[in-house]
Amino acid sequence: AQNAVTMANFVSNGFTFCTSSLMGSLSDEYGRKTIFMMGIGASTLAPCALVLIQLYPSMNPTWYYTANAISGVISWTSIALSALSDV
């Protein structure tokens, strides 16, 4: 399990590294609030997957690792920092 979490975090950080400039451009074009809320929504996927795993023990834990990796696609922290730099 520790190796899977390490790999999920590696993939999440890789997604963040690759897509942060794209998300910055999209937030400039469409507004920071929309992209920021999408990032917050994506970051809640992993905790929701953990709750579902607790409720349904037969659920595969791969859902958690996948949701954790997906949360790196839209990093809400980079959007928040870019919004702070505008002030």
Side-chain angles (χ1 to χ4, degrees):
Q2 188 174 9
N3 289 336
V5 170
T6 302
M7 185 55 89
N9 285 333
F10 179 74
V11 170
S12 176
N13 291 334
F15 281 154
T16 300
F17 178 75
C18 294
T19 61
S20 61
S21 62
L22 175 67
M23 290 301 130
S25 298
L26 287 175
S27 68
D28 287 340
E29 186 174 341
Y30 296 110
R32 301 210 191 282
K33 184 178 180 182
T34 304
I35 305 296
F36 182 74
M37 294 307 288
M38 288 171 52
I40 293 291
S43 68
T44 61
L45 291 177
C48 289
L50 279 178
V51 169
L52 288 174
I53 288 171
Q54 291 294 317
L55 293 175
Y56 305 106
S58 62
M59 188 174 167
N60 192 347
T62 306
W63 287 103
Y64 167 73
Y65 303 128
T66 305
N68 191 17
I70 288 173
S71 68
V73 173
I74 304 174
S75 175
W76 64 271
T77 53
S78 62
I79 302 298
L81 290 174
S82 63
L84 284 174
S85 70
D86 290 343
V87 175

